[in-house]
């Protein structure tokens, strides 16, 4: 009787639990240029060559569940065609993302142009403000943007308060010659400018909590190969009681090194016990040409469609070994072969520029966190195989539930859906 009741409960609840399991992790991309491609009549297709009329619906259909969009203060001041995302642009695209049933990650650049570790220039309209005035300006600006997004039906689910901010942000005006480092933060060697930077982050975070209390705040570093810099940064955030939820990382092999480097970074962060989830908020690997980095990974992953797919598959395998990793976002996956839209192609896109079809790596993404709803059968037959597997195919436990490292019921076994003897099992 007890067994029969358990089977009935499984039938009634397995779909709901499956949705909960899949919702634990996010996978998608930064699609900030999608409206520009659509306006230029770029055609998107599926792998069979059928034209896709609704790109966001197609992304969702193929297992993606979240999209990221950048926001500049006044992008009209930059001649780069890819720097075009003002607030009106983001409101429109953000609403489309939400209406498609996808989660929306908003990426504040707090600049008129690209903000990254080598350039964090203060918006032109703010450059004469004192530090005290900047603290209020970033609060007012963040609050106003979020209020308008909420009113437009584009409430962010995740918010980056700054882009690749390992060395601070709003350094001042770009120098005519060389770099203006007056307000730059230096890790492991100096406390200069950190109080200023942390004050900016706290004011931005306060606005996020007030207007979007359910959104998760992300602090984004690209220092993936430099664990001393990573831990110094997040130690400072912890010591200053900066309010945030997620550690965001950039990881591009050509710039950051092999997958073992990423593994080391994640393991190191986990070992610090910051109590934060981790997301790879930017990644990419080329299908044909170098993206200009120093590390050559082509002996393992050639610059081919298959090389890009194999890298993506191995990246996902690595990330799925870490329960702290809750997100994976490909950068600029929608680049699709029209040079009139941007200044140049992005050689790590997920679309074939000549055919408009997705590359094979696109279809690998759904496998992150079990968003691929198909279950791969175990290699052994039902009568011999006694191991247990996660939905993404990881072997995790023997038949006596003695080795599962997830924490929870029965000396370590967590309630959820698993694969046992080739079948889904609710435990």
């Amino acid at each position: 009787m007890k067994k029969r009741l358990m089977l009935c409960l499984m039938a009634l609840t397995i779909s709901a639990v499956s949705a909960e399991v899949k919702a634990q992790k996010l996978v998608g991309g930064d699609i900030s240029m999608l409206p520009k491609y659509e306006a230029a009549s770029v055609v998107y297709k599926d792998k069979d060559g059928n034209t896709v009329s609704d790109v966001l619906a197609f992304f969702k259909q193929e297992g993606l569940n979240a999209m990221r969009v950048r926001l500049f203060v006044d992008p009209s001041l930059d001649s780069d065609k890819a720097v075009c995302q003002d607030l009106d642009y983001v409101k429109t695209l953000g609403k489309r993302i939400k209406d498609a049933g996808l989660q929306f990650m908003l990426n504040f650049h707090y600049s008129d142009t690209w903000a990254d570790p080598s350039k964090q220039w203060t918006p032109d309209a703010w450059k004469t403000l004192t530090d005290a005035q900047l603290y209020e300006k970033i609060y007012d600006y963040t609050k106003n943007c979020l209020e308008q997004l909420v009113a437009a039906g584009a409430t962010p689910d995740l918010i980056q308060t700054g882009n690749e901010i390992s060395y601070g942000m709003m350094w001042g005006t770009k120098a005519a010659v060389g770099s203006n480092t007056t307000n730059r933060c230096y890790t492991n060697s100096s406390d200069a400018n950190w109080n200023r930077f942390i004050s900016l982050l706290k004011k931005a975070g306060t606005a996020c909590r007030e207007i979007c209390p359910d959104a998760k705040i992300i602090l984004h570093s690209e220092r993936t190969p430099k664990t001393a810099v990573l831990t110094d940064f997040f130690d400072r955030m912890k010591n200053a009681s900066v309010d945030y939820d997620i550690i965001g990382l950039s990881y591009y092999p050509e710039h950051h090194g092999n997958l073992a480097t990423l593994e080391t970074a994640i393991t190191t962060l986990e070992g610090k016990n910051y109590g934060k989830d981790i997301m790879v908020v930017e990644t990419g690997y080329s299908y044909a040409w170098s993206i200009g980095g120093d590390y050559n990974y082509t002996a393992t992953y050639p610059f081919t469609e298959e090389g890009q797919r194999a890298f993506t598959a191995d990246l996902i395998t690595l990330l799925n070994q870490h329960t702290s990793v809750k997100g994976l976002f490909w950068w600029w996956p929608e680049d699709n072969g029209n040079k009139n839209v941007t200044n140049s192609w992005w050689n790590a896109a997920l679309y074939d520029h000549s055919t408009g079809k997705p590359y094979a790596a696109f279809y690998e993404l759904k496998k992150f966190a079990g968003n691929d709803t198909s279950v791969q059968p175990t290699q052994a037959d039902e009568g011999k195989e006694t191991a247990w597997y996660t939905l993404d195919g990881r072997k995790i436990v023997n038949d006596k539930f003695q080795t599962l490292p997830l924490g929870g019921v029965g000396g370590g076994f967590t309630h959820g859906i698993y694969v046992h003897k080739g079948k889904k099992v609710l435990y």
Side-chain angles (χ1 to χ4, degrees):
M1 182 68 180
K2 183 177 180 180
K3 183 176 181 181
R4 190 172 299 171
L5 177 60
M6 185 64 180
L7 291 173
C8 291
L9 288 172
M10 287 172 63
L12 290 171
T13 64
I14 193 166
S15 61
V17 176
S18 296
E20 181 179 351
V21 170
K22 288 189 287 184
Q24 291 175 354
K25 293 187 178 182
L26 301 178
V27 59
D30 186 314
I31 57 164
S32 298
M33 289 300 294
L34 178 61
K36 291 295 184 180
Y37 288 104
E38 292 172 326
S41 299
V42 170
V43 176
Y44 289 87
K45 299 180 180 180
D46 64 15
K47 62 184 177 182
D48 297 320
N50 301 307
T51 299
V52 172
S53 59
D54 186 335
V55 178
L56 291 178
F58 174 68
F59 287 168
K60 185 178 181 182
Q61 170 192 311
E62 294 304 325
L64 306 185
N65 58 15
M67 297 295 149
R68 178 180 186 246
V69 181
R70 56 184 172 265
L71 171 62
F72 299 102
V73 176
D74 186 359
S76 68
L77 300 176
D78 195 303
S79 60
D80 188 334
K81 293 178 182 178
V83 180
C84 59
Q85 293 79 18
D86 60 15
L87 184 55
D88 286 339
Y89 182 107
V90 174
K91 284 191 293 186
T92 301
L93 180 53
K95 186 178 188 306
R96 284 183 60 193
I97 291 169
K98 298 287 288 192
D99 288 348
L102 302 163
Q103 291 206 30
F104 171 33
M105 180 189 293
L106 175 66
N107 179 17
F108 280 107
H109 274 242
Y110 294 124
S111 182
D112 297 329
T113 187
W114 299 110
D116 60 38
S118 65
K119 47 185 182 295
Q120 291 281 344
W121 310 122
T122 304
D124 189 68
W126 305 359
K127 64 184 180 181
T128 61
L129 301 180
T130 65
D131 287 347
Q133 290 171 328
L134 272 178
Y135 303 152
E136 294 310 310
K137 174 56 74 172
I138 195 171
Y139 168 81
D140 291 340
Y141 169 77
T142 303
K143 181 179 179 180
N144 176 61
C145 289
L146 294 177
E147 286 175 336
Q148 291 198 44
L149 285 164
V150 170
T155 303
D157 300 284
L158 306 103
I159 305 170
Q160 279 189 225
T161 49
N163 185 75
E164 296 187 335
I165 51 175
S166 304
Y167 302 106
M169 60 186 180
M170 294 194 204
W171 292 346
T173 303
K174 182 178 180 181
V177 178
S179 296
N180 179 353
T181 59
T182 303
N183 294 306
R184 180 180 170 126
C185 295
Y186 294 90
T187 54
N188 296 315
S189 60
S190 171
D191 292 330
N193 301 318
W194 280 97
N195 287 339
R196 174 185 182 274
F197 172 42
I198 287 170
S199 294
L200 289 167
L201 280 180
K202 285 186 173 181
K203 295 295 282 189
T206 296
C208 294
R209 295 299 190 208
E210 289 179 2
I211 308 305
C212 298
D214 295 327
K216 302 295 186 182
I217 297 175
I218 302 171
L219 298 187
H220 178 197
S221 173
E222 80 306 322
R223 296 290 89 181
T224 306
K226 298 183 181 295
T227 55
V229 175
L230 277 178
T231 55
D232 181 82
F233 180 94
F234 288 105
D235 281 348
R236 291 177 187 269
M237 298 300 112
K238 181 177 180 179
N239 294 337
S241 299
V242 175
D243 181 16
Y244 73 104
D245 304 290
I246 296 168
I247 293 172
L249 298 176
S250 292
Y251 172 63
Y252 300 96
E254 284 197 69
H255 294 301
H256 299 129
N258 61 21
L259 284 167
T261 302
L262 177 61
E263 170 74 21
T264 297
I266 293 172
T267 302
T268 301
L269 290 168
E270 289 173 333
K272 293 290 290 185
N273 296 316
Y274 292 121
K276 308 296 181 183
D277 290 335
I278 298 170
M279 290 188 178
V280 176
V281 297
E282 290 186 24
T283 195
Y285 194 76
S286 180
Y287 53 81
W289 301 281
S290 170
I291 62 172
D294 298 325
Y295 184 76
N296 189 333
Y297 216 178
T298 56
T300 304
Y301 305 110
F303 288 153
T304 62
E305 179 177 1
E306 171 55 24
Q308 186 191 55
R309 186 210 63 79
F311 162 76
T312 307
D314 289 348
L315 170 65
I316 289 170
T317 297
L318 183 157
L319 296 180
N320 276 336
Q321 292 171 359
H322 293 270
T323 57
S324 67
V325 178
K326 303 297 187 183
L328 173 62
F329 291 78
W330 198 277
W331 198 71
W332 203 354
E334 78 281 16
D335 184 30
N336 194 2
N338 189 322
K339 284 190 174 180
N340 293 321
V341 175
T342 62
N343 296 64
S344 61
W345 285 342
W346 168 237
N347 294 326
L350 292 179
Y351 274 87
D352 186 321
H353 291 167
S354 61
T355 68
K357 298 179 183 179
Y359 283 124
F362 173 86
Y363 293 96
E364 290 290 332
L365 288 176
K366 71 177 70 176
K367 298 177 183 178
F368 176 71
N371 284 356
D372 185 356
T373 54
S374 63
V375 177
Q376 299 300 319
T378 56
Q379 293 182 352
D381 63 58
E382 182 176 335
K384 296 180 181 179
E385 178 58 74
T386 60
W388 291 72
Y389 295 79
T390 60
L391 285 177
D392 59 353
R394 288 181 290 134
K395 187 174 182 179
I396 53 174
V397 66
N398 62 21
D399 60 335
K400 295 182 180 179
F401 298 96
Q402 291 176 341
T403 60
L404 185 67
L406 297 179
V409 178
F413 199 69
T414 301
H415 286 309
I417 298 176
Y418 300 94
V419 179
H420 183 54
K421 296 184 179 180
K423 299 177 181 179
K424 286 183 180 178
V425 177
L426 176 66
Y427 179 81

